[in-house]
Amino acid sequence: MTLRVSVVGASGYVGGELLRLLLWHPEVAVIQATSGRNAGRYLHQVHPNLRGRSKVQFVHPDRLEPCDLLFLALPHGEAAQAIERYAGLAPRLIDCSADFRLRDPAVYARWYREEHPAPAWLDRFVYGLPEVSREALRGVNYASGVGCNATATNLALLPLVQAGLVDEQRPVIVEIKVGSSEGGATSSESSHHPERAGAVRSFAPVGHRHTAEVEMVTGLTNVHLSVTSVELVRGALATAHVFANRPVTEKDLWQAYRAFAATQPFVRIVKERQGIYRYPEPKILAGSNFADIGFTLDETTGRIVSICALDNLMKGAAGSAVQCMNLMAGFVETEGLDFPGLHPI
Amino acid sequence: MTLRVSVVGASGYVGGELLRLLLWHPEVAVIQATSGRNAGRYLHQVHPNLRGRSKVQFVHPDRLEPCDLLFLALPHGEAAQAIERYAGLAPRLIDCSADFRLRDPAVYARWYREEHPAPAWLDRFVYGLPEVSREALRGVNYASGVGCNATATNLALLPLVQAGLVDEQRPVIVEIKVGSSEGGATSSESSHHPERAGAVRSFAPVGHRHTAEVEMVTGLTNVHLSVTSVELVRGALATAHVFANRPVTEKDLWQAYRAFAATQPFVRIVKERQGIYRYPEPKILAGSNFADIGFTLDETTGRIVSICALDNLMKGAAGSAVQCMNLMAGFVETEGLDFPGLHPI
Amino acid sequence: MTLRVSVVGASGYVGGELLRLLLWHPEVAVIQATSGRNAGRYLHQVHPNLRGRSKVQFVHPDRLEPCDLLFLALPHGEAAQAIERYAGLAPRLIDCSADFRLRDPAVYARWYREEHPAPAWLDRFVYGLPEVSREALRGVNYASGVGCNATATNLALLPLVQAGLVDEQRPVIVEIKVGSSEGGATSSESSHHPERAGAVRSFAPVGHRHTAEVEMVTGLTNVHLSVTSVELVRGALATAHVFANRPVTEKDLWQAYRAFAATQPFVRIVKERQGIYRYPEPKILAGSNFADIGFTLDETTGRIVSICALDNLMKGAAGSAVQCMNLMAGFVETEGLDFPGLHPI
Amino acid sequence: MTLRVSVVGASGYVGGELLRLLLWHPEVAVIQATSGRNAGRYLHQVHPNLRGRSKVQFVHPDRLEPCDLLFLALPHGEAAQAIERYAGLAPRLIDCSADFRLRDPAVYARWYREEHPAPAWLDRFVYGLPEVSREALRGVNYASGVGCNATATNLALLPLVQAGLVDEQRPVIVEIKVGSSEGGATSSESSHHPERAGAVRSFAPVGHRHTAEVEMVTGLTNVHLSVTSVELVRGALATAHVFANRPVTEKDLWQAYRAFAATQPFVRIVKERQGIYRYPEPKILAGSNFADIGFTLDETTGRIVSICALDNLMKGAAGSAVQCMNLMAGFVETEGLDFPGLHPI
């Protein structure tokens, strides 16, 4: 039986990517897509790649009707403010914002500098990264989204964390290079093309909010994120510098990464001795739900560099959300997510 | 019954794109992929987006075995030189090169400055653009490929040609802006990133060989191509300047374009009064088989600007080839070609 | 004696480029730079490349004081509205906008769809392209700016026009590929990086206002402009398609181009048989005042392709303006304009 | 009296940049430029930005003649192999390669995996970064070049090192984002535009040879470099993560950075609370000799992020070399190096 879904906040980039995935998903029918500004326009007038696929028009959020599952792709804080309303409209919710990712309201308050507007709901949401909560997501009703940079970082670190290899005495430094779509669909002075093109901009050298998500998922407490914007639209590359807590060989690391990736349909290990693509590369993942992970070891110093590439709008947002939907609704986990990315691009 | 296909010249960009399409095509099994240089390597070691999809390894071209259909994606001239061999290996051939596109050996000789090596074969090949030879392609055994720039130009011009609107006394000027993947997978001084990045390079202001294909398909004789390389990997935009042979209105043009696009599953008309994507834009077509066409009219001067955007590796090469295969083998024409492109990208 | 100059509208891109040129100009002192929005900020807080060079702060336009020469770099229409005020503040004016470029108020009205606010002033301004009005500019008090796309087109066409080679019966089609800085410093939906990056956008396929400037400068009446935005910040490339009015050889064309370039310190002929840079390339002109021109001839059809590359903010705006200043003030024409551009870039 | 200089290895990118600087340098005459492959060609046929400036033609290296000062811009190892010959041709040498940067032959052997071919010469060369060896460079005859990534790293770290703020117990992690010109002028598979464009490529996550230069200049031993290639032609951004050895405030850091920058004509501190350019940004430094440095402090964790941006071909190579020449020859240190970079770009 077809799952009837709607997307709230559908004119943003995550909303558009949800629509692309859902309109081609064999088990799903897209019922409504809301947008305050674009009510009445056809989907393809905002997301031109959808031209010819659907006759759906954006509706004003006030006209949202009941359905089987609601995707919320709203600006920070809006989902939490109106969570009761959304929960009244659909038995299942997947919220792509940061509103329901953290379990601890105190942690939320520290990083987002305000009290959580609906703390009682935090426990009802399962963290929406199947790579860490697959079993908990099966059949559940509420899933959070994931932070794109948090996900790149988490997937870089988890193989080492799960293998117990991280020296927690020494800082874990994670440098994340990101594309401009992370800033969303609204233009600003800093996204003006002549300024943003070719930039290598220190966007968040310290204090990135996704740190909270990384600490929650990995359990690490000595982890430091730094985000730099580079010339790219889609994509993120996390480069994590980890010191091992005991002497390790490359073979040990292969074992750790293989153990982690073995059960993950969208995680691939990329580590080649030759060729151009020796490590994970975000550009070939545009539109794909894969997270590619790789590593290298500095044998002299014991530094492990663990690398994760992904498409911030896919595995870092809409792709993981659809993967969650598949698990929640009992579909095949990979359904609708098989686009492999392009080469060259 | 599954169609058993092989790709000859599979390490190039068109070959890689064919593999991407064929590995996900529900009616097809990829039997072999040949590459002289890469024999023994896995497909994903050359085309990293295919990682995890297939255990096929490149084989040396000498080891090519019989199959149901052969895709030839070879450098200029190689298919024609060995056409008897390939025809002996498979009942069906789709050749992506320029070797079998032109019907007239004299035209071939004029543009390619050499006698055609297998002129007797020219008549056996149907020109592989379903938009102009759909019925002829159904069930046929041999199809040529298409030139990427020729296709962008042809699809820009055909709506006007078929509506009988072109003033042939005045020159038709077509400026085509192209990405770097048109140059193929082999590096050269001129493709070196520091030189090619950000370039606006007059690649072929006159004398472009695809002119022959445009003359053959459109029947026009006063058409002039000019190709400029811009910062882009995939994509081509043809901007055709045509003067009407009688007073026309925008409504007449809408009629002409709609008449042309109505029967074409991969042709969309893009003409919006507002928004960012008012005309066809190649970047949102990366990976897609759509050709978007649009137009505008300078009412003061009677100049019509007709615009076509496409992905040179898809509708301009591998996508059209797979579409031909679908027609030749009796599959649904659009099978395996439903990726809509990405936004943003 | 040092020329005391001020820049009105100094926070825009043309204003910033004027400041860069003037702050390093040996004969000039920058007295004031106005900006409504940025009053009180240091120049480098808006134009970061000027950091460390000047302690000047932007002042509000109302606080503009008398000086020797005023550069006006204002949005369309503003200079004309207040021309009496500016003329009262300085004996010499160089206006970079389109307000005083056209001599004929009727032509202005047709292209800008409004009556000129100060038609009596049109005759007092000399058209600010030294390549066409060098002698008229010497010692004069008022010079207009130039349109960037008009200048690229004019410099592509003038060698042929001056040699009397243009067949005026056949249309002259000019395709201009432009970077994002042509849109100015104010961000918009269409300049948002995820949308603008990698675009090949049909910005003005017909109806470009600079057509008026081209007609005025070249005297041609059958000339048709088309502007396409490509991935580039600075730079414009005009590709002009001209049919000769009599049989011509490449040697005739060399003669025509050499005759034109001989007396122009900032015009270079680029036409090489080998290497990467065979034709004019805008990317290597970033920051330079050169306009590079080149050509090729299709001997079969008589089509001449004439190509001009320039930096739209330099030869297409601020560079030409400073060159005008040099002529008006009796300085060496090339003073302060010797930056050659970078390679690679 | 004009200094007569020649450039050996002048067809590479560093060679080309040296020529650009030297041809406009008021105290210098360029006598010869050598290139094996390009002998007989004009400079502008390789470096198109130099068109119209010089009639010099490349000569074969065997035809190199005596002069006052030789710049060596050769591939790794070549300067050291032939150092006696070069020293016989000119009393002064500036070598841009890595051959004479390290003082200790054992360190050289460890990082370059071969014995130094001319160890006796190591002591005669002064390390060519005026920011660390200005006084030693005055009047000296032999100066080494600098590593581009080493220089970005050193200038990020030196303010903290000189202020005695670095906790050497905790690792210093430096992530350097670099453009494609760092790979030099020779094309390769990995520099092929369709592969390199838009890449975020883990070029040297561990084991970067410039580590040796950083250890030598800063005296730090627990410093770890990681280099990632991004979409950019010129430019490098080093992001250094340093933990303070005692509680520090932002004010302490301002003091440290100001103390370092005060005496350096080409070092600017960039740290703004608002605007787009809050931290050093390499793109606005293209062609400039400035190194911009900035910092931020994570007060919760004591992590200092120190950032340096530069143009790898200028302050990271040719610019520093010309600055050395100025010091060696007794010219004004900043002579010929006043280009401020462009905005926008």
Side-chain angles (χ1 to χ4, degrees):
Chain A
M1 209 177 64
T2 300
L3 191 77
R4 300 169 68 256
V5 308
S6 294
V7 178
V8 179
S11 62
Y13 287 155
V14 174
E17 198 66 349
L18 285 168
L19 290 171
R20 176 177 73 84
L21 297 171
L22 296 168
L23 285 168
W24 273 262
H25 194 294
E27 311 272 11
V28 160
V30 174
I31 305 306
Q32 288 188 304
T34 79
S35 168
R37 271 184 316 144
N38 294 293
R41 302 183 74 191
Y42 288 103
L43 299 185
H44 71 254
Q45 292 181 299
V46 173
H47 304 299
N49 56 330
L50 304 181
R51 181 180 294 271
R53 178 66 186 186
S54 161
K55 288 289 179 195
V56 167
Q57 290 165 283
F58 289 101
V59 299
H60 192 277
D62 293 346
R63 296 183 43 207
L64 189 62
E65 293 166 7
C67 64
D68 297 335
L69 188 153
L70 267 186
F71 285 94
L72 306 176
L74 291 162
H76 174 62
E78 294 191 12
Q81 291 291 350
I83 189 65
E84 299 285 353
R85 177 184 171 227
Y86 294 122
L89 285 167
R92 285 181 170 144
L93 299 178
I94 298 177
D95 174 45
C96 294
S97 81
D99 291 9
F100 298 103
R101 292 181 201 156
L102 303 176
R103 285 298 79 79
D104 182 343
V107 173
Y108 181 92
R110 183 160 78 246
W111 286 94
Y112 291 91
R113 290 161 199 253
E114 57 179 8
E115 292 304 307
H116 195 281
W121 279 85
L122 289 177
D123 271 345
R124 303 184 201 165
F125 276 79
V126 175
Y127 185 70
L129 188 65
E131 284 73 13
V132 301
S133 42
R134 177 170 292 111
E135 295 315 314
L137 285 162
R138 290 192 204 280
V140 83
N141 285 331
Y142 301 131
S144 78
V146 293
C148 45
N149 298 329
T151 300
T153 302
N154 285 328
L155 295 178
L157 294 176
L158 282 171
L160 299 171
V161 169
Q162 294 186 357
L165 292 172
V166 181
D167 176 4
E168 303 206 37
Q169 302 306 305
R170 281 182 283 182
V172 171
I173 304 286
V174 188
E175 265 265 333
I176 309 158
K177 278 70 68 179
V178 304
S180 61
S181 65
E182 286 207 355
T186 305
S187 62
S188 70
E189 271 199 11
S190 67
S191 77
H192 188 45
H193 182 272
E195 308 296 344
R196 181 63 179 78
V200 187
R201 188 184 289 168
S202 302
F203 171 70
V206 302
H208 195 283
R209 289 169 167 184
H210 289 186
T211 308
E213 242 172 291
V214 171
E215 291 178 345
M216 182 183 78
V217 168
T218 63
L220 298 171
T221 55
N222 194 5
V223 58
H224 307 266
L225 272 61
S226 166
V227 179
T228 306
S229 304
V230 299
E231 175 61 55
L232 192 70
V233 172
R234 280 184 186 232
L237 186 85
T239 308
H241 301 267
V242 175
F243 288 84
N245 55 9
R246 54 184 173 83
V248 290
T249 64
E250 204 172 88
K251 202 175 153 191
D252 299 328
L253 295 174
W254 268 111
Q255 210 164 9
Y257 282 75
R258 283 199 179 114
F260 178 72
T263 58
Q264 306 293 358
F266 291 113
V267 175
R268 302 185 296 194
I269 303 174
V270 178
K271 181 170 171 56
E272 300 280 340
R273 288 180 188 284
Q274 55 176 319
I276 302 169
Y277 297 90
R278 303 183 190 192
Y279 294 103
E281 166 61 67
K283 78 167 186 156
I284 61 158
L285 297 175
S288 149
N289 198 44
F290 284 112
D292 284 347
I293 59 174
F295 63 91
T296 192
L297 170 66
D298 183 341
E299 293 186 347
T300 318
T301 64
R303 176 171 54 116
I304 303 163
V305 183
S306 185
I307 296 165
C308 176
L310 49 73
D311 177 342
N312 54 298
L313 296 177
M314 285 293 300
K315 173 47 73 189
S320 284
V322 169
Q323 196 178 347
C324 285
M325 177 194 76
N326 287 341
L327 290 163
M328 290 160 70
F331 304 146
V332 172
E333 183 175 347
T334 57
E335 192 74 84
L337 294 168
D338 67 343
F339 178 67
L342 297 171
H343 172 256
I345 189 168
Chain B
M1 209 175 67
T2 300
L3 191 77
R4 301 168 67 257
V5 307
S6 294
V7 178
V8 180
S11 62
Y13 287 156
V14 173
E17 198 66 350
L18 286 169
L19 290 171
R20 176 177 74 83
L21 296 171
L22 296 168
L23 285 168
W24 272 263
H25 195 293
E27 311 273 10
V28 161
V30 175
I31 305 306
Q32 289 188 305
T34 78
S35 169
R37 271 184 315 146
N38 294 293
R41 302 183 74 190
Y42 289 103
L43 299 186
H44 71 253
Q45 292 182 300
V46 172
H47 305 299
N49 57 330
L50 305 181
R51 180 181 293 272
R53 178 67 185 186
S54 161
K55 289 289 180 196
V56 168
Q57 289 165 283
F58 289 102
V59 298
H60 193 276
D62 293 346
R63 295 185 42 208
L64 189 62
E65 292 167 9
C67 65
D68 297 336
L69 189 154
L70 268 186
F71 285 95
L72 307 176
L74 291 163
H76 174 63
E78 295 192 11
Q81 292 291 350
I83 190 64
E84 299 285 353
R85 177 184 172 226
Y86 294 123
L89 285 167
R92 286 182 170 143
L93 299 178
I94 298 177
D95 174 45
C96 295
S97 80
D99 291 9
F100 298 102
R101 293 182 201 157
L102 303 176
R103 284 299 77 80
D104 182 344
V107 173
Y108 182 92
R110 183 160 79 247
W111 286 95
Y112 292 91
R113 289 161 199 251
E114 57 179 8
E115 293 304 306
H116 194 282
W121 280 85
L122 288 177
D123 271 345
R124 303 183 202 167
F125 276 80
V126 175
Y127 185 69
L129 189 65
E131 284 73 13
V132 301
S133 41
R134 178 170 292 109
E135 295 315 313
L137 286 162
R138 288 192 205 282
V140 83
N141 285 331
Y142 302 130
S144 79
V146 292
C148 45
N149 298 328
T151 300
T153 301
N154 284 328
L155 296 177
L157 293 176
L158 282 171
L160 299 170
V161 169
Q162 294 186 356
L165 291 172
V166 181
D167 176 4
E168 303 205 38
Q169 302 306 306
R170 281 182 282 182
V172 172
I173 304 285
V174 189
E175 264 265 333
I176 309 158
K177 278 70 67 180
V178 304
S180 61
S181 65
E182 286 208 354
T186 305
S187 63
S188 70
E189 271 198 11
S190 66
S191 77
H192 188 46
H193 183 273
E195 308 297 343
R196 182 60 180 79
V200 188
R201 188 184 290 168
S202 301
F203 171 69
V206 302
H208 194 284
R209 289 170 167 182
H210 288 187
T211 307
E213 243 173 291
V214 172
E215 291 177 345
M216 182 182 78
V217 168
T218 63
L220 297 172
T221 55
N222 194 3
V223 59
H224 307 266
L225 272 61
S226 166
V227 179
T228 307
S229 304
V230 299
E231 175 61 54
L232 192 71
V233 172
R234 279 185 187 232
L237 185 85
T239 307
H241 301 267
V242 175
F243 288 84
N245 55 10
R246 54 183 172 82
V248 291
T249 64
E250 204 174 87
K251 201 175 154 192
D252 298 328
L253 296 174
W254 268 111
Q255 210 164 8
Y257 282 75
R258 283 198 179 114
F260 178 72
T263 57
Q264 306 293 358
F266 291 113
V267 175
R268 303 184 296 194
I269 303 175
V270 177
K271 180 169 171 57
E272 300 279 342
R273 288 181 188 283
Q274 54 177 320
I276 302 170
Y277 297 90
R278 303 182 190 191
Y279 294 104
E281 167 61 68
K283 78 168 186 155
I284 61 157
L285 298 176
S288 150
N289 197 45
F290 284 114
D292 285 348
I293 58 174
F295 63 92
T296 191
L297 171 65
D298 184 340
E299 293 186 347
T300 317
T301 64
R303 176 171 54 118
I304 303 162
V305 184
S306 186
I307 297 165
C308 176
L310 50 72
D311 177 343
N312 53 299
L313 296 177
M314 285 294 297
K315 173 47 73 189
S320 283
V322 169
Q323 195 179 346
C324 285
M325 176 194 76
N326 288 340
L327 290 163
M328 290 160 68
F331 304 148
V332 172
E333 183 175 347
T334 57
E335 192 74 85
L337 295 167
D338 67 343
F339 178 67
L342 298 171
H343 172 255
I345 187 167
Chain C
M1 208 178 66
T2 299
L3 191 77
R4 300 169 67 258
V5 308
S6 294
V7 178
V8 179
S11 62
Y13 287 156
V14 173
E17 198 66 349
L18 286 169
L19 290 171
R20 176 177 73 84
L21 296 171
L22 296 167
L23 285 168
W24 273 262
H25 195 294
E27 311 272 11
V28 161
V30 175
I31 305 305
Q32 288 188 304
T34 79
S35 168
R37 272 184 316 146
N38 295 292
R41 304 183 74 191
Y42 289 103
L43 299 185
H44 71 254
Q45 292 181 299
V46 173
H47 305 299
N49 56 329
L50 305 182
R51 182 181 293 271
R53 179 65 184 190
S54 161
K55 288 290 179 196
V56 167
Q57 289 165 283
F58 289 101
V59 298
H60 192 278
D62 293 347
R63 296 183 43 207
L64 190 62
E65 292 167 8
C67 65
D68 297 335
L69 188 153
L70 266 186
F71 286 93
L72 306 177
L74 290 163
H76 175 63
E78 294 191 12
Q81 291 291 350
I83 190 65
E84 300 285 353
R85 177 184 172 226
Y86 295 123
L89 285 167
R92 284 182 171 144
L93 299 178
I94 298 177
D95 174 44
C96 295
S97 81
D99 291 8
F100 297 103
R101 293 181 200 156
L102 303 176
R103 285 298 80 77
D104 182 343
V107 172
Y108 181 92
R110 183 161 79 245
W111 285 94
Y112 292 91
R113 290 160 199 253
E114 57 179 9
E115 292 304 306
H116 194 281
W121 280 85
L122 289 176
D123 271 347
R124 302 184 201 165
F125 276 80
V126 175
Y127 185 70
L129 188 65
E131 284 74 12
V132 300
S133 40
R134 176 169 292 110
E135 295 314 314
L137 286 161
R138 289 191 204 282
V140 83
N141 285 331
Y142 302 131
S144 78
V146 292
C148 46
N149 299 329
T151 300
T153 301
N154 284 328
L155 296 177
L157 294 176
L158 283 170
L160 300 170
V161 169
Q162 294 186 356
L165 291 172
V166 181
D167 175 4
E168 303 205 38
Q169 302 305 307
R170 281 183 282 184
V172 171
I173 304 286
V174 188
E175 265 265 333
I176 309 157
K177 278 72 66 180
V178 304
S180 61
S181 65
E182 286 208 355
T186 306
S187 62
S188 71
E189 272 199 9
S190 66
S191 78
H192 188 45
H193 183 272
E195 308 296 343
R196 182 62 179 79
V200 188
R201 187 184 290 168
S202 301
F203 171 70
V206 303
H208 195 284
R209 289 169 167 183
H210 289 187
T211 307
E213 241 173 293
V214 172
E215 291 177 346
M216 181 182 79
V217 168
T218 64
L220 297 172
T221 56
N222 194 4
V223 59
H224 307 265
L225 271 62
S226 167
V227 179
T228 306
S229 304
V230 299
E231 174 63 53
L232 192 70
V233 172
R234 280 185 186 229
L237 185 85
T239 309
H241 301 266
V242 175
F243 288 85
N245 56 9
R246 55 183 173 82
V248 291
T249 63
E250 203 172 89
K251 200 173 155 194
D252 298 328
L253 296 175
W254 268 112
Q255 210 164 9
Y257 282 75
R258 283 198 179 115
F260 178 72
T263 57
Q264 306 293 357
F266 290 112
V267 175
R268 301 185 296 194
I269 303 174
V270 177
K271 181 171 172 54
E272 299 279 341
R273 290 180 187 283
Q274 55 177 318
I276 301 170
Y277 297 89
R278 302 184 191 192
Y279 293 105
E281 167 61 68
K283 79 167 186 158
I284 61 157
L285 297 176
S288 150
N289 198 45
F290 283 113
D292 284 348
I293 59 174
F295 63 91
T296 192
L297 171 66
D298 184 341
E299 293 186 347
T300 317
T301 65
R303 177 171 53 117
I304 303 162
V305 184
S306 186
I307 297 165
C308 176
L310 50 71
D311 177 342
N312 53 298
L313 296 177
M314 285 293 299
K315 172 47 72 187
S320 283
V322 169
Q323 195 178 347
C324 285
M325 176 193 77
N326 287 340
L327 290 164
M328 290 159 70
F331 303 148
V332 173
E333 183 176 347
T334 56
E335 191 75 83
L337 295 168
D338 67 343
F339 178 66
L342 298 172
H343 172 256
I345 186 168
Chain D
M1 210 179 65
T2 300
L3 191 76
R4 300 168 69 258
V5 308
S6 294
V7 178
V8 179
S11 62
Y13 287 155
V14 173
E17 199 66 348
L18 285 169
L19 289 171
R20 176 177 73 85
L21 297 171
L22 296 168
L23 284 169
W24 273 262
H25 195 294
E27 310 273 11
V28 159
V30 174
I31 305 306
Q32 288 187 305
T34 78
S35 168
R37 270 184 316 146
N38 294 292
R41 302 182 74 191
Y42 288 103
L43 298 185
H44 72 254
Q45 292 181 300
V46 173
H47 304 299
N49 57 329
L50 304 182
R51 180 181 294 271
R53 179 65 185 189
S54 161
K55 289 288 181 197
V56 167
Q57 289 164 284
F58 289 102
V59 299
H60 192 277
D62 293 347
R63 295 183 43 206
L64 189 62
E65 293 167 7
C67 65
D68 296 337
L69 188 153
L70 267 186
F71 286 94
L72 306 177
L74 291 163
H76 175 64
E78 295 191 10
Q81 291 292 349
I83 189 65
E84 300 284 356
R85 177 186 171 224
Y86 295 122
L89 286 167
R92 284 179 171 147
L93 299 178
I94 299 178
D95 174 45
C96 294
S97 81
D99 291 8
F100 298 102
R101 293 181 200 156
L102 303 175
R103 285 300 77 79
D104 183 344
V107 173
Y108 181 91
R110 183 160 79 246
W111 285 95
Y112 292 90
R113 290 160 199 253
E114 56 179 10
E115 292 304 306
H116 195 282
W121 280 84
L122 289 177
D123 271 346
R124 303 183 201 166
F125 276 80
V126 175
Y127 185 70
L129 188 65
E131 284 73 13
V132 302
S133 40
R134 177 170 291 110
E135 296 314 315
L137 286 162
R138 290 193 203 279
V140 82
N141 286 330
Y142 301 131
S144 78
V146 292
C148 45
N149 299 327
T151 300
T153 301
N154 284 328
L155 296 177
L157 294 175
L158 282 170
L160 299 170
V161 168
Q162 294 186 356
L165 291 173
V166 181
D167 176 4
E168 303 206 38
Q169 302 305 307
R170 281 184 282 183
V172 172
I173 304 285
V174 188
E175 264 264 334
I176 309 157
K177 277 72 65 179
V178 303
S180 61
S181 65
E182 286 207 354
T186 306
S187 63
S188 70
E189 272 198 11
S190 66
S191 77
H192 189 45
H193 182 273
E195 309 296 342
R196 182 62 179 78
V200 188
R201 188 183 290 169
S202 302
F203 171 69
V206 302
H208 194 284
R209 289 168 167 183
H210 290 186
T211 307
E213 242 173 292
V214 171
E215 291 178 344
M216 181 183 79
V217 168
T218 64
L220 298 172
T221 55
N222 194 3
V223 59
H224 307 265
L225 272 60
S226 166
V227 179
T228 306
S229 304
V230 300
E231 175 61 55
L232 192 71
V233 172
R234 279 185 187 231
L237 186 84
T239 308
H241 301 266
V242 174
F243 288 84
N245 55 9
R246 55 183 173 82
V248 291
T249 64
E250 204 172 87
K251 201 173 154 191
D252 298 329
L253 296 174
W254 268 112
Q255 211 164 8
Y257 282 75
R258 283 198 179 114
F260 178 72
T263 57
Q264 306 293 359
F266 290 113
V267 175
R268 302 184 296 193
I269 303 175
V270 177
K271 182 171 171 54
E272 299 280 340
R273 289 180 188 282
Q274 55 176 320
I276 301 170
Y277 297 89
R278 302 182 191 192
Y279 294 103
E281 167 61 67
K283 78 167 185 157
I284 61 157
L285 297 175
S288 148
N289 198 44
F290 284 113
D292 284 347
I293 59 174
F295 64 91
T296 191
L297 171 66
D298 184 342
E299 293 186 347
T300 317
T301 64
R303 175 171 54 118
I304 303 162
V305 184
S306 186
I307 296 166
C308 177
L310 50 72
D311 177 342
N312 54 298
L313 296 177
M314 284 293 299
K315 174 45 74 188
S320 283
V322 169
Q323 196 179 346
C324 285
M325 175 194 76
N326 288 340
L327 290 163
M328 290 160 69
F331 304 147
V332 173
E333 183 176 346
T334 58
E335 192 74 84
L337 295 168
D338 67 343
F339 178 67
L342 297 171
H343 172 256
I345 188 168

